Amino acid sequence: MESEKKVFVNSVFYTINGMLQNCFSFILLPLYTAYLSTSDYGLVSIAENFLAVMSYLCAFSVYTAVTRFYVEYKDRPDVLKRFYGTVTVFVFASALAYGVFFTLFRGALTRIVFGGTAFYPVVFVCLIEIIFHCQRMIYESILQSWQRAGTYSVVSFTLFVLKVGLTVYFVVGRGMGALGIMLAAT
């Protein structure tokens, strides 16, 4: 009975967290249409898709291993800590290596993926965002494997609110367009 209760409570946390974030994202649409040009909105969409693909390439889908090996190592905390440390350092180094690679070959990257957008600052900020995004995904996977839906929801929603606040500040207050949205996400 205890496990069913835990599944139910965790599901409620995840559902409420997801719904709140989707509602706030929907509320931001008028802001985007009022303050972003069509090309800015397109650039943000390209950057988000690039981030989604690169987060899996940089992390080699290790997020799923975090959950899988938690079950195996949960009774051996020293091995679990070493595993988490190894995953975190590996993904950080991988994202950094991809960032250096794409910086070296920035001409091809900006031409092929970003449609000729200037590398500095827009694409460069997107590459930095990959590093932080991958680290956050590992942390969230750890919280999920520990079945700490409350902590996960608080962290996730807090970061989301911070991102929304920074987006409004950069886009509306500073008039930074697509770059403002990418800076807020970083």
Side-chain angles (χ1 to χ4, degrees):
M1 186 64 170
E2 182 64 32
S3 62
E4 289 91 5
K5 181 181 176 187
K6 193 167 207 164
V7 168
F8 177 76
V9 170
N10 286 345
S11 297
V12 168
F13 275 115
Y14 291 134
T15 302
I16 291 172
N17 183 44
M19 287 175 54
L20 285 173
Q21 288 186 29
N22 286 331
C23 288
F24 279 112
S25 293
F26 183 73
I27 291 170
L28 284 177
L29 284 176
L31 175 101
Y32 289 160
T33 57
Y35 288 94
L36 296 178
S37 67
T38 306
S39 62
D40 280 342
Y41 195 73
L43 183 58
V44 168
S45 181
I46 289 170
E48 286 174 349
N49 287 310
F50 179 73
L51 175 68
V53 170
M54 288 308 301
S55 67
Y56 283 103
L57 288 177
C58 290
F60 296 94
S61 214
V62 171
Y63 312 129
T64 55
V66 167
T67 306
R68 185 237 182 265
F69 283 103
Y70 168 75
V71 173
E72 190 170 319
Y73 297 146
K74 69 181 176 183
D75 297 327
R76 299 178 358 212
D78 55 323
V79 176
L80 187 63
K81 281 185 207 177
R82 194 170 3 156
F83 172 70
Y84 286 158
T86 302
V87 166
T88 302
V89 170
F90 172 76
V91 171
F92 178 79
S94 174
L96 195 59
Y98 272 108
V100 169
F101 175 79
F102 283 132
T103 301
L104 293 174
F105 296 100
R106 63 183 165 265
L109 176 69
T110 57
R111 186 177 57 258
I112 295 169
V113 177
F114 287 94
T117 301
F119 183 79
Y120 294 106
V122 175
V123 179
F124 185 70
V125 167
C126 191
L127 292 175
I128 291 172
E129 183 181 352
I130 290 168
I131 295 170
F132 293 111
H133 180 76
C134 288
Q135 296 300 311
R136 190 191 88 216
M137 293 298 292
I138 290 169
Y139 178 64
E140 289 177 350
S141 293
I142 290 170
L143 289 176
Q144 287 175 327
S145 67
W146 289 349
Q147 296 185 17
R148 295 201 180 147
T151 305
Y152 170 88
S153 296
V154 167
V155 168
S156 176
F157 192 73
T158 301
L159 289 173
F160 178 76
V161 168
L162 182 63
K163 178 183 171 185
V164 168
L166 288 172
T167 298
V168 170
Y169 172 73
F170 287 138
V171 173
V172 177
R174 306 285 297 189
M176 296 176 78
L179 177 61
I181 292 174
M182 288 182 226
L183 280 173
T186 302

